[in-house]
Amino acid sequence: MLAAGYLIAEQISHIQDMREEENLMKKRAVFGVLALVLILAFGGGALAAKQVLETKDGVIVEGVYAGDINLSGLTAKEAESAIQKYIDELEAKKITMVTGKHKDTLKLSDIGIEWSNPEILDEAMELGKSGNLIARFKDLTDLKMKNHVYDLNLQVNDKKINKFIKNTLKAYDQEAKEPSMKRSGGVFQITEEEEGLVVNSKKTIASINKLLKKNWDSDKATVKTTVKVAKPKHTAADLKKVKDLMGQRTTTYASGNRGRSQSLELSASRLNGTIIWPGETISTSLLMGERSQAGGYGTGQGYFGTDVEETVGAGICQTASTLYNAALYAELDIAQRYPHTLIVHYVDYGMDATIYAGSDYKNPMKDLKLKNPYKDPIYIESSAGGGYCTFRIYGNDTRAENREVKYISKTLSESYPNGITYIDDPTKPAGYQETTQGAFPAVKATLTKVVYVDGNETERTLLHTDSYRGANKKVIRGTKQPETTAAPSTEAPTTKPEKPGSETTKASETTKAPETTKAPETTKAPSANKAPTNQAPASDKKPEASAAD
């Protein structure tokens, strides 16, 4: 009980102390107000009242500034004119933009200066004139002690500065340069990557606006353009890993066929030096470029269905087929590949690859697309000339040394046409014949990949089954009859003439011919190695076809 009594007594004492302190604060506040009233009432009060009464309506009191501009004694309109005059003087000054090694000097009027906080004039007009006598006196007293300075928010015109950045500064943008490599004289030459620079418009404008808030004490200021670094995707160190020959193939062509050779050699040159980065897929059609005579391609015989016709770019399919064979031995991923409609003579069945672009080589109907499945880059070296087209594929070969790959072409069926398709030409004399297209057999064949480890077969994969259409030999024959002159006769005809149009003539017809075709010969499979040369895989040899792609 005694302890509880002491505790209650202590709490009562604490409450009394708080009340006494609160009363003391109230008394001090009252005395402060009374003191101010006494000041106003006697001597100083008369001076303060006089100062308040002397403030003029419609003008800004003494000691008010907007930035460095003295607004004292000015009307709102005069103050606005003073600020505009300052802006005009500022726009006449020059600014130098430094972008890397480039410097561009221009007047601030070229990028425009705007005033974004005109509401400060309304506040300035009210300063020292609003509130009761005490509040007004306090504001005026403060202005006597220290000037009231409003921030003058100036900024460049968005439209003008963005136009300047786009037309001038953006010209200095430098895209990052990827590393490159080329093989010359059996040696790889590598060019290092380079970082790029891109002007950061937003931060550059912020730097100029920040400068505008400072006191310009010279006729020229300098702003360093803000740029961001663009990093290349790859490095030269990646390319330095490319050192091993992973797959190669050589095919032959008739270099005397000038138009076709021209297209083949040009397309091979455009593929030379191609780098396929890890996970990347390339389009052979895209790399070959637009097939046109203006673009350097020649004219030769190419396939259109089962017809052989003159076309621009004939020969590029042999380039693609040679690349396809090299890619098989390098074990790249074949993302897209199509066989020809008719057999070709430069590779075995199932080993060809056709390209048909239609009207847009960037979006071809048929293409050869290769993907790099390795962790390191792949480099393609190609050449064509003197009747030989060669592709070599290099990379960082991580495949086991005791691992060998073979590709087997197997003919499932092969039927030879025994007919001739004649095309009648009334402009050629009867008896005239000209072969325009040789015969093509209808073929069905498979291509199989076989993997050996230490000479033992460990893997066998059917890659695809291709069907090639057959086509008859095509011959143009003349149907023009020689003109004859008959002597006039006075005797009546002994036979009734036939009615006009009773005879019909077909423009073309197909006639069976007793031609025979040699049985196919066989060729040996290449020796099992990772980078075969120009040897073809095991297959049946095809009969000679017409000179077409």
Side-chain angles (χ1 to χ4, degrees):
M1 293 291 292
L2 182 61
Y6 280 121
L7 180 59
I8 293 172
E10 185 178 352
Q11 290 179 348
I12 293 173
S13 175
H14 179 66
I15 292 172
Q16 288 176 344
D17 290 342
M18 290 180 63
R19 287 179 177 175
E20 288 178 3
E21 185 176 353
E22 183 179 352
N23 291 333
L24 179 61
M25 292 178 65
K26 289 180 179 179
K27 290 178 181 179
R28 287 176 178 174
V30 172
F31 284 133
V33 172
L34 291 175
L36 182 58
V37 172
L38 290 174
I39 292 174
L40 293 175
F42 300 99
L47 180 61
K50 179 181 178 183
Q51 183 177 349
V52 171
L53 293 174
E54 285 180 351
T55 58
K56 297 180 181 180
D57 291 334
V59 297
I60 300 172
V61 296
E62 292 291 329
V64 179
Y65 286 76
D68 294 329
I69 306 169
N70 190 352
L71 304 181
S72 303
L74 302 180
T75 65
K77 187 174 183 180
E78 290 171 341
E80 185 178 354
S81 297
I83 293 175
Q84 186 58 51
K85 181 181 178 181
Y86 172 78
I87 293 175
D88 293 341
E89 292 174 352
L90 192 60
E91 284 190 327
K93 294 184 178 182
K94 295 180 179 179
I95 184 173
T96 298
M97 305 295 298
V98 179
T99 310
K101 299 178 181 180
H102 306 279
K103 293 183 179 181
D104 295 279
T105 301
L106 65 155
K107 288 184 177 180
L108 282 172
S109 58
D110 294 333
I111 54 177
I113 305 299
E114 295 179 344
W115 176 27
S116 63
N117 63 332
E119 65 275 4
I120 63 174
L121 293 185
D122 294 333
E123 296 179 18
M125 292 297 296
E126 292 297 319
L127 195 61
K129 299 176 185 178
S130 61
N132 57 35
L133 181 65
I134 297 175
R136 294 172 65 183
F137 174 72
K138 182 179 181 303
D139 289 341
L140 293 173
T141 302
D142 290 342
L143 288 171
K144 289 290 185 181
M145 300 297 293
K146 183 179 180 181
N147 293 331
H148 187 92
V149 181
Y150 289 98
D151 287 333
L152 187 61
N153 291 339
L154 300 180
Q155 62 185 33
V156 292
N157 180 275
D158 283 343
K159 186 175 181 180
K160 287 187 176 181
I161 186 61
N162 281 303
K163 182 179 180 181
F164 170 74
I165 291 175
K166 178 181 178 181
N167 295 341
T168 303
L169 301 187
K170 280 293 184 180
Y172 306 137
D173 282 358
Q174 298 177 2
E175 293 185 3
K177 291 184 178 180
E178 296 295 325
S180 62
M181 70 186 305
K182 64 179 181 179
R183 184 173 172 83
S184 178
V187 178
F188 284 114
Q189 299 174 352
I190 298 176
T191 302
E192 298 284 333
E193 72 277 7
E194 293 182 14
E195 292 182 342
L197 296 177
V198 180
V199 172
N200 188 317
S201 301
K202 187 175 181 180
K203 290 187 177 181
T204 297
I205 294 173
S207 297
I208 301 174
N209 288 336
K210 183 178 180 181
L211 187 61
L212 288 176
K213 294 181 180 180
K214 297 182 179 180
N215 182 22
W216 287 57
D217 54 2
S218 65
D219 185 54
K220 185 184 295 185
T222 300
V223 171
K224 190 174 182 180
T225 301
T226 305
V227 296
K228 55 184 177 182
V229 177
K231 295 284 187 180
K233 296 180 181 179
H234 310 286
T235 66
D238 297 327
L239 294 180
K240 291 177 181 178
K241 298 177 182 178
V242 177
K243 58 186 184 301
D244 303 316
L245 177 61
M246 300 179 68
Q248 67 175 328
R249 183 65 195 274
T250 296
T251 59
T252 60
Y253 62 95
S255 58
N257 189 336
R258 301 183 64 179
R260 186 177 183 280
S261 298
Q262 179 180 338
S263 297
L264 190 157
E265 293 164 6
L266 176 61
S267 59
S269 68
R270 290 186 174 177
L271 289 165
N272 185 44
T274 298
I275 297 173
I276 313 179
W277 297 99
E280 183 183 16
T281 299
I282 63 166
S283 162
T284 304
S285 177
L286 182 62
L287 292 171
M288 287 180 174
E290 183 177 4
R291 268 74 80 186
S292 65
Q293 289 181 316
Y297 280 95
T299 301
Q301 290 186 314
Y303 294 164
F304 284 89
T306 58
D307 294 326
V308 179
E309 300 178 4
E310 288 291 315
T311 182
V312 176
I316 63 171
C317 288
Q318 181 167 351
T319 305
S321 296
T322 310
L323 170 60
Y324 174 55
N325 280 248
L328 287 174
Y329 284 99
E331 295 187 85
L332 303 185
D333 287 345
I334 311 302
Q336 188 177 118
R337 171 261 174 190
Y338 295 91
H340 288 76
T341 54
L342 302 174
I343 66 167
V344 295
H345 61 280
Y346 40 80
V347 291
D348 292 301
Y349 300 153
M351 301 289 285
D352 60 310
T354 187
I355 292 180
Y356 179 61
S359 60
D360 185 2
Y361 73 96
K362 296 180 180 179
N363 298 285
M365 298 178 182
K366 294 182 178 181
D367 196 1
L368 173 64
K369 293 184 178 181
L370 307 177
K371 182 178 179 180
N372 179 2
Y374 299 104
K375 295 182 179 180
D376 299 307
I378 288 294
Y379 179 86
I380 297 176
E381 180 185 45
S382 59
S383 63
Y388 294 93
C389 177
T390 300
F391 274 84
R392 295 184 179 91
I393 296 179
Y394 294 88
N396 179 21
D397 199 346
T398 56
R399 297 173 295 180
E401 290 290 336
N402 61 343
R403 184 177 183 276
E404 298 174 335
V405 179
K406 290 183 180 181
Y407 292 89
I408 300 175
S409 171
K410 182 179 180 181
T411 303
L412 301 181
S413 64
E414 188 174 40
S415 58
Y416 297 87
N418 55 6
I420 299 176
T421 298
Y422 288 98
I423 302 173
D424 292 340
D425 186 349
T427 65
K428 302 294 183 181
Y432 173 87
Q433 288 193 357
E434 177 187 0
T435 300
T436 59
Q437 177 178 315
F440 289 85
V443 174
K444 188 174 184 179
T446 61
L447 184 67
T448 301
K449 176 182 178 181
V450 184
V451 178
Y452 299 89
V453 176
D454 291 329
N456 299 315
E457 181 180 325
T458 60
E459 182 181 334
R460 178 177 288 260
T461 305
L462 174 65
L463 298 183
H464 50 252
T465 301
D466 294 336
S467 295
Y468 303 90
R469 297 166 64 181
N472 288 336
K473 177 180 179 180
K474 292 185 179 180
V475 176
I476 294 177
R477 65 182 178 185
T479 59
K480 183 179 180 181
Q481 298 297 324
E483 296 181 0
T484 57
T485 304
S489 175
T490 58
E491 296 182 1
T494 57
T495 59
K496 185 177 179 181
E498 296 181 358
K499 294 181 181 180
S502 61
E503 295 182 358
T504 58
T505 305
K506 293 183 179 180
S508 64
E509 59 179 297
T510 301
T511 305
K512 291 184 178 180
E515 295 185 359
T516 58
T517 308
K518 295 179 181 180
E521 299 176 1
T522 58
T523 55
K524 295 181 180 179
S527 57
N529 51 51
K530 293 182 181 178
T533 57
N534 60 339
Q535 290 179 300
S539 72
D540 295 321
K541 186 176 180 181
K542 304 173 295 300
E544 188 69 24
S546 59
D549 194 17

